[in-house]
């Protein structure tokens, strides 16, 4: 159950000063008793200070299945415990083998929670791990991770990387059978082709290694509930919100919460603002130590590297699909 991307070895190691901002909202989602219902889970959880972490996750429990909230929380707990027990909760070496081990632990934890129901509980996964060589991103399902570099205005702001949804409509768009506009309004948009569930059919994660990281950059993890409006889904609103025209991260959080307040689905997100990058074994205050006051990189930063296509058959080719309400 491994999906590898080639690791880059750097002569120096990177450490990060960051500020992180969680969002966890009910939207208009109700349970069978009419009470607000949340199937998303995030890591670090709301009760903790997330800015000391280098590991972030957003998991969207599969609505319409039993115990979607149990699945999302189980995956967050198992992966964070695995990574922390391996000593990777702070900066340091982090490999795809470490990630694969954590995913294996999460699937085993889901197996332990399996109650034998015909409709299995399940969850999407988005994960960001900052480490010596940059940032490892992993995802399963249609929750997303963005790497955003703010410009002065919306048109200057760059979405450097975004994960590709494991969804039926995305597959149809790529096949030329549906336009992006049709996909955004399709009744099939909640059908995902990969999810984390108990059982023998373990879906693999797509993995990317990001090494071009500068002070001021944002990483944005979000469930699909944050993307209900067209301008959110197509990235235009995100470029405006994450531009320097909206000055503080707190303002960005307020705008995102306001824009999604009336969404039909519960929704969650993590905003990670990179404030400073310090490279070990470099003279203090040298140009190689990057901060918001010293934005111009003097060292070579690699461009985004994404994982190669693996040879395993996709879930849709096995005629498995996962429905999210």
């Amino acid at each position: 159950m491994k999906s590898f991307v080639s690791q880059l070895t750097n002569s120096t190691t990177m450490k990060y000063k960051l500020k992180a901002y969680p969002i966890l909202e009910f939207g208009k989602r109700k349970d069978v008793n009419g009470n607000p219902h949340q199937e998303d889970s995030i890591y670090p959880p709301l009760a903790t200070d997330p800015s000391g972490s280098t590991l972030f996750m957003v998991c969207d429990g599969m609505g319409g299945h039993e115990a979607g909230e149990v699945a999302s929380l189980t995956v967050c707990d198992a992966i964070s415990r695995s990574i922390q027990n391996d000593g990777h909760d702070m900066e340091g070496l982090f490999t795809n083998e470490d990630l694969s081990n954590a995913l294996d632990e999460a699937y085993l934890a889901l197996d332990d929670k399996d109650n034998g129901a015909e409709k299995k509980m399940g969850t999407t996964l988005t994960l960001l791990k900052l480490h010596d060589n940059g940032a490892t991103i992993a995802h399963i399902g249609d929750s997303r991770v963005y790497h955003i570099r703010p410009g002065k205005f919306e048109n200057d702001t760059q979405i450097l990387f975004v994960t590709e949804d494991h969804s039926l409509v995305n597959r149809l768009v790529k096949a030329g059978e549906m336009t992006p506009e049709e996909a955004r309004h399709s009744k099939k948009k909640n059908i995902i082709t990969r999810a984390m569930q108990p059982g023998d059919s373990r879906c693999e994660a797509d993995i990317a290694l990001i090494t071009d990281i500068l002070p001021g950059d944002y990483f944005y993890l979000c469930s699909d509930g944050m993307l209900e409006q067209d301008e959110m889904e197509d990235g235009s609103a995100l470029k405006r919100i994450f531009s320097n025209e909206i000055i503080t991260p707190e303002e960005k959080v307020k705008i995102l919460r306001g824009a999604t307040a009336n969404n039909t689905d519960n929704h969650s997100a993590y905003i990670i603002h990179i404030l400073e990058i310090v490279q070990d074994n470099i003279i203090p205050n040298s140009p190689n130590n990057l901060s918001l006051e010293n934005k111009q990189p003097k060292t070579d930063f690699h461009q985004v590297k994404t994982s190669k296509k693996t040879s395993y058959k996709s879930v849709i080719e096995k005629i498995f699909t996962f429905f999210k309400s």
Side-chain angles (χ1 to χ4, degrees), residues 18 81 115 211 227 270 301 314:
L18 58 87
R81 186 167 57 251
N115 61 5
T211 58
L227 305 170
Y270 244 117
F301 282 82
S314 68

Side-chain angles (χ1 to χ4, degrees), residues 12-152:
T12 58
T13 59
M14 293 188 288
K15 297 185 182 299
Y16 309 87
K17 180 179 179 182
L18 58 87
K19 185 73 174 175
Y21 305 84
I23 296 174
L24 190 65
E25 305 287 347
F26 287 111
K28 293 183 178 180
R29 176 67 67 85
K30 307 286 185 181
D31 63 17
V32 292
N33 298 315
N35 299 315
H37 187 53
Q38 177 60 270
E39 291 187 313
D40 293 1
S41 295
I42 61 174
Y43 182 87
L46 285 177
T48 61
D49 178 10
S51 296
S53 181
T54 58
L55 173 66
F56 299 90
M57 285 180 283
V58 167
C59 292
D60 182 0
M62 290 164 58
H65 290 59
E66 285 214 17
E69 63 273 23
V70 174
S72 62
L73 182 60
T74 297
V75 167
C76 278
D77 285 348
I79 290 178
S80 61
R81 186 167 57 251
S82 174
I83 291 174
Q84 288 172 340
N85 286 346
D86 283 345
H88 298 303
D89 52 324
M90 300 301 290
E91 296 96 334
L93 292 175
F94 184 77
T95 68
N96 286 319
E97 184 176 1
D98 297 323
L99 175 60
S100 182
N101 290 338
L103 291 172
D104 284 340
E105 291 296 327
Y107 276 115
L108 289 173
L110 287 172
D111 288 344
D112 287 341
K113 296 289 179 69
D114 189 6
N115 61 5
E118 183 178 354
K119 290 185 176 180
K120 301 294 185 185
M121 63 179 179
T123 183
T124 68
L125 167 71
T126 58
L127 176 149
L128 171 73
K129 178 68 178 79
L130 294 161
H131 52 83
D132 277 356
N133 288 334
T136 292
I137 290 171
H139 86 289
I140 296 172
D142 64 350
S143 298
R144 293 185 186 174
V145 183
Y146 294 82
H147 176 206
I148 303 172
R149 183 158 295 160
K152 186 175 182 180

Side-chain angles (χ1 to χ4, degrees), residues 149-249:
R149 183 158 295 160
K152 186 175 182 180
F153 302 108
E154 174 184 344
N155 290 340
D156 306 316
T157 297
Q158 303 174 69
I159 296 178
L160 299 177
F161 173 84
V162 59
T163 51
E164 183 175 308
D165 293 350
H166 300 137
S167 66
L168 178 59
V169 294
N170 185 52
R171 182 173 287 273
L172 293 174
V173 168
K174 291 177 67 177
E177 299 177 18
M178 182 178 285
T179 67
E181 177 70 15
E182 290 171 337
R184 283 193 288 271
H185 300 98
S186 172
K187 293 181 179 180
K188 300 177 181 178
K189 68 179 182 179
N190 290 328
I191 301 176
I192 58 176
T193 55
R194 294 190 209 177
M196 297 189 70
Q197 291 187 289
D200 295 331
S201 298
R202 295 184 173 184
C203 295
E204 298 191 18
D206 282 351
I207 305 170
L209 176 63
I210 309 293
T211 58
D212 174 21
I213 307 172
L214 294 178
D217 285 2
Y218 287 91
F219 288 98
Y220 178 55
L221 289 69
C222 66
S223 65
D224 69 324
M226 296 291 298
L227 305 170
E228 285 188 12
Q229 293 87 357
D230 284 358
E231 62 174 7
M232 286 289 190
E233 201 280 337
D234 67 16
S236 56
L238 293 179
K239 290 175 73 173
R240 182 169 63 253
I241 292 168
F242 283 95
S243 74
N244 289 327
E245 192 172 9
I246 312 299
I247 298 175
T248 68

